[in-house]
Structure formats: C-alpha cells, structure tokens
C-alpha cells in the first residue's frame, strides 16, 4: 500500500497548484491566504462527505470546520507521500468516524434498530436482478417519503468502514486507488466493500419501498411486524 | 485459505454475503474474489450505475457548505487572535472596552484612597482598613 500510494502521488501531474510543494510550504508557514484557498477548494467535498457520514447538516458543518482546523494544526505532519487532498480526506474520514461514534453513544439508536429490522424482510434476489430505476430516481415519491431519504437511512445502516468506501466512491467520485489511500485498505478490499455496500443499500431501499407499498395495499399504516 | 472461488461459485454466495450470513472464512473468500474479479466489478458498476451516486449527491448543493468563515473563527479563537486576528479588528471587539473600564475603575479607586488619606486626617472610614490587602 505505501508503495502504490507513493507511485500514485509521483505519477500524478503537478498541474493542480494546490498539490504543488510550494503551496504546501506556504501552508506550513501558516500563510492564512493559502489556507483560505485550500478550504475554498475542498469545503464542498468535505462537507458532502461528512454530512453523509453523520446524516446531520448542523453536525456536519461543525465537523467540516474541525477537519480544516485539524489540517491547519497538523500540516507539519503531512509528509507529501500522498496527494494533499488525500490527506485532507483521510482526516475527514477519521474525524467523521469519531464523531459518529460519539453521537451514537450520546443519542439513542432506536431508529437505527427499527431500520435494521426492515432490512431483513425482503430477499436480495429482487435487489440484484436490478430495479436500479427505483433507486435511481430521486423524483419518485413513496407515501411522501422520498427515495433519497430512504437511501440516507440505508447509508446510515451501513457499517462505518463500508459507508466510508461507498461515500468516497459515489459522492467524491474517487478511484479505487484513491479510496485505498484515504482509508489505508487494500484496493481489493475497497472494491469488495463498495460492492457489498451498494448491494446492502439496494436491499434496504427495496425493503422499504416494498414495506410502504405493502402498507398502502393493505390499507393500514404502522403496526404489522 | 482454500482454493479461490470461481465467479459462478461466488455469485451463489453473494446474497448471503451481503446479508452478513457467511462465516468469516467464507466471507473472506467471497471478498477476495469480488475484489479481484472483472466480471464482479462490472456487476458492481451496474449496481451503482450512476443512479445511486445521483441520489447520494442529491440535496447537498442546496445545503450550507460555506465552511470557511467558521474555520477562520475557530482558528482565531483557539490561537487567541494569532491567526486571522486582523479580521477581529474590523468588528467591535470587547477587549479595548473591557481594558478601558478596568483602567478607569482602578484610577477611580486610587483617587478615592488618595483623597481619603489627604482629607481624612481624623478617624478613617471603616472600609478603608479592610479594602486594601
Ligand atoms: Zn466474479
């Protein structure tokens, strides 16, 4: 892994000025204008990642700020053996995991348990035979609950390590190699986690769609387990 | 670890794998296969097929992603104005006011005691004995 990380960083074109060693030197010198530039370049992507990791925009805003505070403080520890952006995302992933753990310990997780139960009802066969359209259309409403919300619940259900791989792929559009660098996992593990995470999300979404559909068909709400 | 799984074998185990129903060893075999199989990768791409990404990215653009001001504020506070301090001077800061008030109060107190000593040649007020330590 470190060998491939080094190779990836070395083979990368130095066209991005933020990846230039001189820029990193300015950050090390705590040049606040350079730092502002860095934050502006990555704030959207970092926020997009952490809001999906935490599922809470207010917490995500605070945590995204903490990510950059940490970058500012720890920039001396960036050794340049990966891309700067990779290092920033590694911090974002680690802080998100810590915060998610803290939040889950602080708050109740009754909703998560409820969601976990739902996930076990519908066989995956249907999911794998591909009703991607159901997952793919955000405009499709089911009993007032948007598919997007269901997908968010599904993502919340994933184990942290699966969730982060999936998010880095789907939300950040990272290559498997980049994800491997950010997470420190072998590329093969990254691929298999993304595969399984996608299948689990689809399983959950279809279970929920089926559940809501069933309720509507039976003409009653709630209750039935 | 036993022989690597063929694609068809792995496919047969995928349902159980996704549900987490396989033993650790079986699970590891499926993961090893999936991580290195081009056909599984193609299937994985189909599972994502861009639609999932679209849904997962949805709603973010509209949300508050203006992170920089908060970062600057935190760094200013935590560095006690060493970084991003120049922005502090633009707004009204409580410190000059606070320091000014303290100076005025100390001055008033000093004047009070000085006047007390000059004027009060008789019995000093009871408070003047207990106030200075
Ligand atoms: Zn395969």
């Amino acid at each position: 892994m470190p060998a491939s990380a080094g190779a990836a960083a070395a083979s990368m074109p130095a066209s991005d000025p933020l990846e230039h060693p001189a820029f990193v030197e300015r950050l090390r010198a705590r040049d606040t204008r350079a730092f502002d530039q860095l934050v502006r370049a990555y704030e959207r992507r970092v926020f997009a990642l952490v809001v999906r990791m935490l599922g809470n925009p207010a917490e995500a805003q605070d945590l995204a700020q903490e990510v950059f505070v940490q970058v500012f403080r720890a920039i001396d520890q960036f050794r340049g053996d990966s891309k700067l952006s990779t290092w920033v995302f590694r911090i974002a992933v680690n802080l998100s995991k810590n915060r998610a753990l803290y939040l889950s310990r602080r708050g109740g997780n009754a909703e998560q348990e409820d969601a976990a139960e739902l996930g076990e009802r519908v066989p995956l066969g249907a999911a794998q035979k591909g009703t991607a359209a159901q997952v793919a259309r955000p405009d499709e409403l089911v009993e007032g609950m948007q598919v997007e919300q269901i997908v968010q619940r599904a993502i919340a259900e994933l184990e942290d390590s699966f969730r982060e791989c999936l998010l880095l792929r789907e939300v950040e559009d990272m290559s498997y190699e980049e994800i491997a660098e950010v997470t420190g996992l072998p590329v093969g593990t990254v691929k298999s986690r993304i595969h399984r995470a996608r299948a689990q999300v689809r399983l959950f979404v279809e279970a929920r769609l089926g559940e809501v559909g069933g309720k509507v068909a039976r003409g009653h709400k709630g209750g039935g387990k | 670890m036993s022989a690597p799984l063929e694609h068809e074998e792995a496919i047969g185990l995928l349902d159980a794998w996704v549900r987490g129903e396989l033993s650790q060893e079986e699970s590891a075999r499926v993961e090893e296969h999936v991580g290195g199989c081009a056909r599984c990768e193609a299937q994985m791409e189909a599972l994502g097929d861009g639609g999932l990404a679209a849904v997962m990215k949805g709603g973010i653009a509209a949300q508050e992603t203006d992170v920089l001001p908060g970062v600057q504020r935190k760094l200013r506070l935590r560095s006690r104005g060493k970084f991003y301090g120049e922005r502090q001077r633009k707004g009204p800061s409580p410190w000059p006011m606070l320091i000014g008030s303290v100076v005025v109060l100390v001055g008033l107190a000093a004047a009070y005691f000085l006047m007390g000593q000059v004027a009060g040649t008789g019995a000093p007020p009871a408070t003047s004995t207990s106030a200075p330590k």
Side-chain angles (χ1 to χ4, degrees), chain A residues 30 32 35-36 39-40 43-44 47-48 51-52 57 61-62 64-66 68-69 72-73 120 122-125 128 132 135-136 138 148 151-152 155 166-167 169-171 173 176 188 191-192 194-196 198-203, chain B residues 11 14-21 27 30-32 34-36 40-41 43-61 63-75 78 83-84 86-87:
Chain A
R30 302 302 192 279
T32 52
F35 186 69
D36 288 355
V39 177
R40 283 300 184 210
E43 61 184 352
R44 281 179 175 277
F47 181 84
V51 76
R52 293 306 188 223
Q61 169 67 225
D62 180 66
Q65 292 169 10
E66 292 297 334
F68 290 108
V69 168
F72 187 85
R73 280 179 173 167
E120 288 170 6
V122 173
L124 180 64
Q128 283 198 323
V135 187
E148 194 203 316
V151 170
Q152 294 314 323
I155 294 166
L166 187 67
L167 291 174
R169 179 70 181 173
E170 307 288 11
V171 179
D173 296 317
Y176 300 122
K191 285 184 185 174
S192 74
I194 290 170
H195 190 136
R196 187 166 156 185
R198 278 179 180 164
Q200 282 178 324
V201 167
R202 180 165 296 190
L203 175 69
Chain B
I11 288 299
L14 281 181
D15 272 23
W17 174 59
V18 170
R19 295 169 168 287
E21 290 168 357
S27 201
V30 172
E31 277 155 34
E32 198 195 4
V34 169
C40 279
E41 190 170 330
Q43 196 193 23
M44 171 170 65
E45 292 305 328
L47 263 178
D49 77 1
L52 187 57
V55 174
M56 286 172 72
K57 282 175 185 157
I60 290 179
Q63 283 167 348
E64 181 62 87
T65 59
D66 187 21
V67 175
L68 181 61
V71 175
Q72 292 172 333
R73 193 172 55 244
K74 283 183 179 180
L75 285 172
R78 292 177 197 180
F83 299 108
Y84 295 103
E86 74 278 9
R87 280 169 183 79

Side-chain angles (χ1 to χ4, degrees), chain B residues 5-8 10-11 14 33-34 36-41 43:
Chain B
L5 288 177
E6 293 298 317
H7 180 74
E8 307 304 333
I11 288 299
L14 281 181
H33 172 84
V34 169
C37 171
R39 287 167 74 188
C40 279
E41 190 170 330
Q43 196 193 23

Side-chain angles (χ1 to χ4, degrees), chain A:
Chain A
M1 156 62 200
S4 70
S11 65
M12 180 201 60
S15 55
D16 183 351
L18 297 196
E19 297 292 346
H20 198 279
F23 183 76
V24 176
E25 273 315 308
R26 289 176 64 197
L27 294 177
R28 287 210 177 98
R30 302 302 192 279
D31 175 341
T32 52
R33 284 176 63 190
F35 186 69
D36 288 355
Q37 219 181 320
L38 177 84
V39 177
R40 283 300 184 210
Y42 293 115
E43 61 184 352
R44 281 179 175 277
R45 291 182 65 195
V46 166
F47 181 84
L49 176 69
V50 303
V51 76
R52 293 306 188 223
M53 288 283 281
L54 300 178
N56 176 335
E59 287 287 345
Q61 169 67 225
D62 180 66
L63 189 68
Q65 292 169 10
E66 292 297 334
V67 168
F68 290 108
V69 168
Q70 181 66 25
V71 167
F72 187 85
R73 280 179 173 167
I75 187 66
D76 295 319
Q77 290 163 31
F78 175 65
R79 296 187 307 278
D81 52 4
S82 70
K83 283 162 71 176
L84 180 62
S85 59
T86 302
W87 187 72
V88 171
F89 279 104
R90 202 178 295 153
I91 290 174
V93 164
N94 288 336
L95 292 189
S96 295
K97 279 198 279 197
N98 292 346
R99 181 73 65 100
L101 191 64
Y102 167 77
L103 292 173
S104 72
R105 280 179 183 162
R106 194 192 62 179
N109 55 357
E111 201 178 325
Q112 289 181 357
E113 281 161 16
D114 175 48
E117 251 171 46
L118 279 170
E120 288 170 6
R121 288 187 205 164
V122 173
L124 180 64
Q128 283 198 323
K129 277 172 196 113
T131 44
Q134 282 183 300
V135 187
R137 266 187 227 126
D139 57 318
E140 184 174 346
L141 298 177
V142 182
E143 265 257 303
M145 190 179 188
Q146 290 186 334
V147 172
E148 194 203 316
Q149 289 175 286
I150 302 177
V151 170
Q152 294 314 323
R153 289 278 302 270
I155 294 166
E157 280 304 299
L158 296 173
E159 281 174 44
D160 280 351
S161 57
F162 287 77
R163 186 191 306 125
E164 73 196 31
C165 287
L166 187 67
L167 291 174
L168 291 170
R169 179 70 181 173
E170 307 288 11
V171 179
E172 304 296 344
D173 296 317
M174 285 187 187
S175 69
Y176 300 122
E177 289 72 20
E178 276 180 288
I179 297 169
E181 276 193 69
V182 169
T183 58
L185 296 167
V187 173
T189 306
V190 167
K191 285 184 185 174
S192 74
R193 285 196 180 169
I194 290 170
H195 190 136
R196 187 166 156 185
R198 278 179 180 164
Q200 282 178 324
V201 167
R202 180 165 296 190
L203 175 69
F204 180 92
V205 170
E206 292 186 356
R208 178 48 71 91
L209 291 174
E211 214 252 344
V212 176
K215 274 181 192 170
V216 174
R218 290 193 305 274
H220 67 89
K221 292 180 191 272
K225 288 243 163 138

